[in-house]
């Protein structure tokens, strides 16, 4: 069965510092991996995805993520955090062999960037 | 471009009343459609998905049902709401060629 783990409920960083939000996954086949961001009382916004190719994926708002197959991880990173990055972040996985194309989401990590 | 609409945005309903949440997608045809529920502002649980008109798959047993009467319309329903049905309901469609889901703005349901 597919699963995604986000081990941190909350990540606190100072503005201007680098940030990392962790994600590990488990799928039976090859994974499609995604990161989304959610602001209060809003839907989820797509940030970036890994399908195949370069292990370092660049996305919206200066975010990037590194796919590591041996560690089954897909951590979200940003070199310099902004206060406006404070939000709820979700990692998600899709099993390429699953014809429903559904995404399984992690429990979410709240990012708090302090001024 | 493609857009997705959900309504109502906010709903307060008494226990035992019926429910209907609607989702429509524009600018694409034959999308896969999904209903997720988010409880307490955290994790998302997949409730239903549909790969075509009249085709509904349920992921978890519950008090809710879904229907897809038209290609780009997805409806979430209940005959009698429970307190535990409260939550933030998100509709999404899938860009099959690219893999990611695109979400609506959500419908917040409070059952009293």
């Amino acid at each position: 069965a597919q699963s995604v783990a986000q081990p941190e409920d909350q990540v606190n960083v100072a503005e201007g510092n680098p940030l990392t939000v962790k994600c590990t996954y488990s799928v039976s086949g090859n994974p499609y991996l995604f990161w989304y961001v959610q602001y209060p009382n809003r839907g989820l916004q797509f940030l970036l995805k890994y399908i195949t190719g370069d292990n370092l994926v660049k996305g919206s708002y200066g975010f990037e993520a590194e796919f590591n197959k041996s560690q089954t991880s897909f951590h979200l990173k940003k070199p310099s955090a902004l206060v406006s990055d404070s939000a709820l972040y979700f990692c998600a996985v899709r099993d390429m062999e699953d014809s429903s194309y559904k995404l399984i989401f992690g429990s979410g990590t709240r990012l708090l960037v302090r001024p | 471009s493609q857009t997705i609409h959900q309504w109502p945005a906010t709903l307060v309903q008494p226990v035992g009343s019926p429910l209907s949440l609607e989702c429509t997608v524009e600018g694409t045809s034959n999308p896969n459609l999904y209903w997720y529920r988010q409880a307490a502002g955290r994790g998302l649980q997949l409730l239903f998905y549909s790969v075509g008109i009249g085709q509904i798959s349920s992921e978890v047993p519950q008090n809710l049902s879904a229907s897809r009467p038209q290609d780009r319309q997805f409806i979430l329903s209940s005959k009698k709401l429970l307190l535990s049905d409260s939550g933030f309901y998100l509709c999404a469609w899938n860009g099959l060629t690219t893999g990611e889901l695109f979400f609506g703005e959500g419908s917040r349901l409070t059952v009293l």
Side-chain angles (χ1 to χ4, degrees):
Chain A
Q2 305 170 69
S3 65
V4 178
Q6 293 182 243
E8 305 153 313
D9 282 345
Q10 183 162 315
V11 170
N12 299 307
V13 298
E15 188 174 31
N17 284 1
L19 70 88
T20 299
V21 182
K22 296 179 180 177
C23 172
T24 59
Y25 67 91
S26 174
V27 297
S28 56
N30 291 317
Y32 281 15
L33 294 158
F34 306 84
W35 276 102
Y36 286 82
V37 61
Q38 184 183 34
Y39 296 98
N41 295 311
R42 302 294 299 277
L44 275 68
Q45 296 179 33
F46 169 73
L47 281 179
L48 51 80
K49 65 183 176 186
Y50 172 82
I51 304 299
T52 186
D54 194 349
N55 289 343
L56 184 64
V57 179
K58 294 188 182 296
S60 305
Y61 312 119
F63 284 94
E64 57 189 28
E66 186 169 10
F67 171 66
N68 188 317
K69 188 172 184 178
S70 62
Q71 297 185 9
T72 61
S73 66
F74 190 55
H75 300 331
L76 181 70
K77 301 181 180 183
K78 187 173 182 179
S80 179
L82 300 172
V83 173
S84 57
D85 292 331
S86 299
L88 188 57
Y89 290 81
F90 290 98
C91 182
V93 65
R94 172 160 81 83
D95 189 338
M96 288 174 58
E97 298 176 7
D98 183 346
S99 61
S100 74
Y101 299 96
K102 64 190 179 189
L103 297 190
I104 303 302
F105 286 84
S107 56
T109 298
R110 193 167 303 280
L111 174 65
L112 182 60
V113 182
R114 59 184 184 275
Chain B
S1 64
Q2 301 90 354
T3 56
I4 180 169
H5 303 282
Q6 278 189 249
W7 69 91
T10 306
L11 196 59
V12 180
Q13 292 286 101
V15 169
S17 64
L19 171 73
S20 181
L21 300 179
E22 190 161 341
C23 171
T24 59
V25 180
E26 298 176 356
T28 187
S29 60
N30 198 30
N32 281 9
L33 295 171
Y34 308 83
W35 278 111
Y36 285 85
R37 177 170 58 200
Q38 184 178 29
R42 294 310 291 254
L44 283 81
Q45 180 184 38
L46 179 62
L47 302 177
F48 301 95
Y49 68 91
S50 171
V51 299
I53 296 174
Q55 301 179 61
I56 307 295
S57 296
S58 175
E59 288 291 296
V60 293
Q62 59 200 305
N63 184 46
L64 301 169
S65 62
S67 62
R68 185 170 176 176
Q70 301 180 45
D71 181 44
R72 289 169 287 178
Q73 184 184 29
F74 204 24
I75 298 171
L76 185 68
S77 304
S78 174
K79 293 182 179 179
K80 290 186 178 181
L81 284 168
L82 306 173
L83 287 173
S84 57
D85 292 325
S86 294
F88 193 48
Y89 290 83
L90 291 158
C91 181
W93 70 278
N94 168 258
L96 295 180
T97 57
T98 55
E100 63 266 34
L101 296 188
F102 299 96
F103 284 83
E105 287 299 310
S107 297
R108 183 164 300 283
L109 171 66
T110 303
V111 182
L112 301 175

